[in-house]
Amino acid sequence: MTPRKTTLASAALACLAACTVPPASSTILVDAPSESATEWQPVADYLGHRCGSLDCHGDLQRSLIIWSCDGLRLDPTDVPGCHMGLHAPATTSGEYAATYRSLVGLEPNVMTEVIASGGADPDLLTFIRKARGEEAHKGGQLVVAGDAQDQCMCTWLAGNTNTNACTQAVSSTQ
Amino acid sequence: MIRRSLLAAAVTAGLIAPAACADPTHEAEVNALGPEVPGIPPGPTHRAGQPCLTCHGGLGPAGATFLTAGTVYVNPYTPGTTAYQPLVGGDVHLVDANRLTYDALTNEVGNFFVTPSQWNPTFPLGDAPADGGPLDISVGVASAGLGSATPMTTHIMRGGVYASCAYCHFDPPGPTSPGHVYQN
């Protein structure tokens, strides 16, 4: 290869590499389900209880990270164990927000598609498929399509959280 | 000659294969536990407070496989304290997803362990009564003269290395751990 060809090839490679790195300022817009206290927090409380223990998604090494008062804490001065009398504060607004971002940001394009359809096809989302046992999940199948746990998550995706289902989902798995 | 070459290749592959299959993450976790404490040989009283199933979870190097195991102390973490009184004769009450129970006793250093031949539960441990009745103690510790059992309100979701008490319960308490397991 001549020096000129080498230079051209190097320039082409550099350009290709530059084109594959998104600029730091880029953003992805997500059509996301509600983050309001009434719509999201019952879902987050269920997820924290069922999926957020320290041996599962209450772990910073997971793709889906769940913060909750009985699991992983956001504030470095807080400890888990709010329901064990360990002087642990209840789940904080920061923890609700962090879990929301972790979940919604997992598959932003798919989330957008699901929300755009009014939650018509929730099992396009990996977290629903894993919970239902339709996809490999170390925790196994945890919910059955249509049960209270499933309704809690899917009604949130549909824009009208069934808070009774979420309450039942927590109490039935304590 | 060809036969010898094939044999040599097979032997070489046999020697290399185990090394190729080794899990460097697991190996690092085992090594991080350090050596045995002098004077306490491997056995039921060794390595109190450590995550037992790192070695006893089925990935080795320990020969015996446990289903769950851990160490229980009398008192909670106290800043500045490094040695804790073990809970001797404590009853670790385990409930599985089908409400089957098993009680393991802590030994003289607070250690307990459950082997698959002793109990074969369905995870998660600590599930709800199917009839929606009052909550069972999921993982509790009780000992005569030391007060009532302390319930654990979260689940142990799965076995393997995750089913050591110390996988989640280590000192000092912080955002990722409530501290060691204790009675009072």
Side-chain angles (χ1 to χ4, degrees):
Chain A
M1 191 179 280
T2 64
R4 193 170 173 186
K5 280 185 180 170
T6 307
T7 306
L8 277 173
S10 301
L13 279 174
C15 180
L16 187 64
C19 294
T20 57
V21 178
S25 61
S26 70
T27 54
I28 297 174
L29 296 176
V30 184
D31 285 343
S34 172
E35 195 184 358
S36 74
T38 51
E39 293 286 320
W40 164 239
Q41 289 188 8
V43 183
D45 287 338
Y46 156 67
L47 291 173
H49 172 72
R50 186 60 163 152
C51 317
S53 58
L54 292 165
D55 57 339
C56 291
H57 289 280
D59 185 334
L60 291 170
Q61 295 180 53
R62 306 285 172 213
S63 298
L64 170 59
I65 304 170
I66 295 173
W67 286 263
S68 67
C69 69
D70 274 327
L72 179 65
R73 305 311 308 256
L74 190 62
D75 188 317
T77 63
D78 286 342
V79 295
C82 63
H83 291 109
M84 294 184 68
L86 294 181
H87 306 293
T91 304
T92 64
S93 58
E95 288 167 337
Y96 283 120
T99 302
Y100 177 85
R101 285 195 295 270
S102 176
L103 179 54
V104 167
L106 266 182
E107 298 173 295
N109 294 339
V110 182
M111 181 62 84
T112 295
E113 188 178 341
V114 169
I115 298 306
S117 70
D121 202 358
D123 68 358
L124 288 175
L125 289 159
T126 303
F127 90 95
I128 295 289
R129 290 198 308 278
K130 281 180 175 276
R132 288 177 174 177
E134 295 169 357
E135 186 165 318
H137 182 214
K138 279 188 177 176
Q141 179 183 358
L142 299 176
V143 312
V144 176
D147 72 5
Q149 301 177 75
D150 194 63
Q151 282 185 44
C152 176
M153 296 184 289
C154 292
T155 55
W156 170 63
L157 294 168
N160 186 21
T161 303
N162 182 340
T163 55
N164 288 334
C166 294
T167 303
Q168 189 185 340
V170 171
S171 64
S172 68
T173 56
Q174 277 176 327
Chain B
M1 186 62 185
I2 290 173
R3 206 167 165 184
R4 277 191 189 169
S5 300
L6 285 174
L7 184 64
V11 169
T12 306
L15 290 172
I16 291 172
C21 295
D23 180 343
T25 303
H26 175 65
E27 203 171 307
E29 288 168 348
V30 170
N31 290 337
L33 299 178
E36 299 286 346
V37 173
I40 308 179
T45 60
H46 84 140
R47 296 180 179 273
Q50 291 195 351
C52 314
L53 278 80
T54 300
C55 299
H56 290 277
L59 297 177
T65 298
F66 299 157
L67 194 113
T68 183
T71 309
V72 186
Y73 298 94
V74 174
N75 295 312
Y77 171 79
T78 307
T81 304
T82 54
Y84 292 90
Q85 182 187 348
L87 179 66
V88 180
D91 176 359
V92 181
H93 181 72
L94 302 158
V95 184
D96 84 344
N98 295 323
R99 303 197 69 193
L100 299 174
T101 64
Y102 186 85
D103 291 86
L105 292 181
T106 56
N107 64 20
E108 60 266 43
V109 299
N111 284 351
F112 74 93
F113 54 90
V114 181
T115 66
S117 62
Q118 292 173 314
W119 195 40
N120 185 27
T122 300
F123 281 88
L125 304 187
D127 235 353
D131 59 6
L135 297 183
D136 272 349
I137 294 168
S138 50
V139 180
V141 182
S143 181
L146 284 170
S148 58
T150 302
M152 182 171 123
T153 55
T154 57
H155 303 128
I156 300 172
M157 290 301 293
R158 49 196 161 137
V161 297
Y162 308 99
S164 296
C165 294
Y167 184 84
C168 300
H169 291 269
F170 52 87
D171 289 334
T176 59
S177 169
H180 66 241
V181 180
Y182 61 92
Q183 159 70 25
N184 292 323

